[in-house]
Amino acid sequence: MYNALSFGDGETQSRQRILAFASKRCAAAVQKNPKDYDSLYNWALVLQESADNMNGELAGNSKDQVLEDACSKYKAATDICPTLHEAFYNWAIAISDRAKARGRTKEAEELWKQACEKYERAVQLNRNSPQALNNWGLALQELSGIVSIKDKRSIVKAAIKKFRAAIALQFDFHRAIYNLGTVLYGLAEDMIRSGGPQSGIKELTAAELYSQSAIYVAAAHALKPEYPVYKSALRLVRSKLPLAYLKTGYLLVPPGGDTLAPHSEWKRLWFVLDHEALYQVDKSAAGSRDSSPTKTASALTNHAPDAKYTNTFRIDIADVRGLMQCSDLSLPPGAGFQIDTVSGQKHLIATSWDEVDCWVDAIRLVFTIHVRGKSDVLGGIIAG
């Protein structure tokens, strides 16, 4: 229990006195009923906030000691009530704060692993928490900077999945969008340092990762243009975009949008996505850079572009009602996705499932930005 203060300004000391009083009340409740998990949980929250507000020591205890005590209260609460997802979530935050103070040490590595375990449990108990998924991704990102090179790539990929899952739950979650951009940028940097993708493993190239990173950073900035950190990051990555578009690439499409057309009639065409629409263009006249001209699935390389398909396929962002990955035997082999529009469903086949993830995310982000009334901001970003 902590009921004395040292250091800190007047406002901090006043807040700590309130927290010390709250801590005493929680302690008294637990002493009266040791099975009172709500009081244990509240006690842990009070201790955690006390640590966050510390500027020096609290009753002779360091910030780390206070956080460790908070963790012990979270453990006691979850031992009694194993379904208390809020406790696991805040417990993970407390462990993360302890890890941050230890730099890139072995002790920090173990703490980051513990934090990831608690975030995993929190998500298992409450699968509708984008914040828990985002924080889990951040913990994995921190862990990736400590572990061996051999383990780093798989941990980074796990972080990417967590950020994507958070965005899938909350499309305008700009922090997760930005975090995904930063982890992809870091993966591209690592790939360049290591000499490219792992041997025998089909992966996106560094150039493709940089381009994807730029998409997420641009989207975060469009959603929150007043955030200085997003603005600074955008200056770093904007040149990686295929200006004057947000994304470009080959997609396999049916003639006239007829999904039931024979597979042999589906054509591989060049598509671009900007702040208004997804549409096909003549690549030679598009004026954009192709970041992945050679990375195509066999299902795509067997279909050459055809002039009669040019400028016939367009989906306005305002008409989008939903989109998702899809794998259907009626579609040509490959990585497919479906866009639901006001005029019906549209099916497209991308070069890989990694590319599908990026197309779906990019279209969804542009739609979200449109709904939030920020399309003009995105348009200004990608303007050539």
Side-chain angles (χ1 to χ4, degrees):
M1 179 163 355
Y2 306 102
N3 52 22
L5 293 161
S6 62
F7 305 104
D9 57 26
E11 183 178 349
T12 299
Q13 290 188 6
S14 176
R15 180 59 183 164
Q16 289 288 32
R17 290 190 186 96
I18 294 172
L19 291 170
F21 177 73
S23 181
K24 285 183 178 180
R25 294 195 63 176
C26 291
V30 171
Q31 186 175 18
K32 183 178 180 181
N33 178 12
K35 297 295 185 181
D36 185 355
Y37 61 84
D38 278 332
S39 292
L40 281 164
Y41 171 59
N42 289 331
W43 194 357
L45 288 175
V46 168
L47 291 170
Q48 194 169 355
E49 186 177 347
S50 296
D52 289 341
N53 285 280
M54 283 177 64
N55 182 18
E57 293 187 341
L58 187 58
N61 293 277
S62 68
K63 179 174 181 176
D64 185 69
Q65 289 172 314
V66 178
L67 285 170
E68 187 176 16
D69 198 7
C71 290
S72 71
K73 303 300 184 289
Y74 285 128
K75 183 181 185 307
T78 54
D79 284 346
I80 299 168
C81 182
T83 59
L84 196 61
H85 63 85
E86 302 97 329
F88 284 104
Y89 172 73
N90 286 294
W91 188 359
I93 293 174
I95 297 172
S96 298
D97 287 342
R98 296 190 68 208
K100 290 173 187 175
R102 286 165 170 77
R104 298 185 180 278
T105 63
K106 187 66 177 177
E107 189 178 6
E109 178 183 340
E110 292 305 313
L111 286 169
W112 283 120
K113 288 178 179 179
Q114 291 176 30
C116 290
E117 290 172 359
K118 300 304 178 288
Y119 280 128
E120 181 178 15
R121 185 59 180 150
V123 170
Q124 287 173 344
L125 294 169
N126 179 19
R127 297 187 180 276
N128 295 315
S129 175
Q131 188 62 62
L133 284 161
N134 177 66
N135 285 12
W136 188 2
L138 287 172
L140 287 165
Q141 193 173 1
E142 292 285 352
L143 179 60
S144 72
I146 303 175
V147 298
S148 65
I149 297 297
K150 174 175 65 72
D151 298 328
K152 181 172 185 176
R153 191 75 61 87
S154 63
I155 293 175
V156 168
K157 288 182 177 179
I160 289 171
K161 289 182 179 178
K162 305 313 171 207
F163 291 135
R164 277 208 165 103
I167 297 167
L169 287 176
Q170 183 180 334
F171 298 160
D172 63 350
F173 192 4
H174 58 90
R175 289 185 176 85
I177 294 167
Y178 173 76
N179 291 333
L180 180 50
T182 63
V183 76
L184 287 168
Y185 188 91
L187 184 57
E189 296 277 281
D190 286 341
M191 190 171 289
I192 289 175
R193 284 193 291 268
S194 64
Q198 295 177 0
S199 177
I201 300 177
K202 188 175 182 180
E203 293 184 309
L204 296 176
T205 65
E208 290 168 330
L209 289 168
Y210 278 132
S211 181
Q212 285 195 17
S213 168
I215 290 171
Y216 297 107
V217 172
H221 175 73
L223 288 168
K224 289 290 181 180
E226 69 274 16
Y227 276 37
V229 66
Y230 298 170
K231 186 178 295 185
S232 297
L234 181 62
R235 284 197 294 266
L236 176 66
V237 303
R238 182 175 178 270
S239 63
K240 308 298 184 182
L241 291 171
L243 303 173
Y245 308 109
L246 187 68
K247 179 169 176 56
T248 62
Y250 282 111
L251 292 170
L252 197 67
V253 295
D258 180 13
T259 304
L260 298 179
H263 294 178
S264 60
E265 295 184 11
W266 287 57
K267 298 298 177 180
R268 177 175 176 261
L269 302 171
W270 186 250
F271 276 79
V272 298
L273 174 68
D274 61 21
H275 62 298
E276 294 180 333
L278 169 70
Y279 53 101
Q280 71 182 76
V281 297
D282 179 356
K283 182 185 174 185
S284 62
S288 64
R289 293 176 283 110
D290 177 9
S291 63
S292 56
T294 61
K295 191 170 179 123
T296 57
S298 59
L300 299 188
T301 54
N302 292 331
H303 298 77
D306 191 316
K308 71 179 182 179
Y309 285 75
T310 304
N311 298 324
T312 61
F313 196 112
R314 176 186 174 98
I315 299 176
D316 289 315
I317 294 300
D319 293 339
V320 173
R321 293 297 177 266
L323 67 160
M324 58 185 287
Q325 289 189 5
C326 67
S327 182
D328 192 308
L329 293 177
S330 68
L331 302 176
F337 64 103
Q338 169 186 308
I339 304 177
D340 297 326
T341 73
V342 293
S343 59
Q345 295 178 344
K346 311 292 183 183
H347 292 88
L348 307 97
I349 310 295
T351 57
S352 69
W353 287 111
D354 282 337
E355 269 292 286
V356 168
D357 283 338
C358 193
W359 276 114
V360 169
D361 280 359
I363 296 167
R364 184 178 287 149
L365 289 170
V366 175
F367 176 78
T368 302
I369 291 166
H370 163 75
V371 171
R372 296 293 179 271
K374 300 290 183 67
S375 293
D376 56 334
V377 179
L378 183 60
I381 292 171
I382 64 177

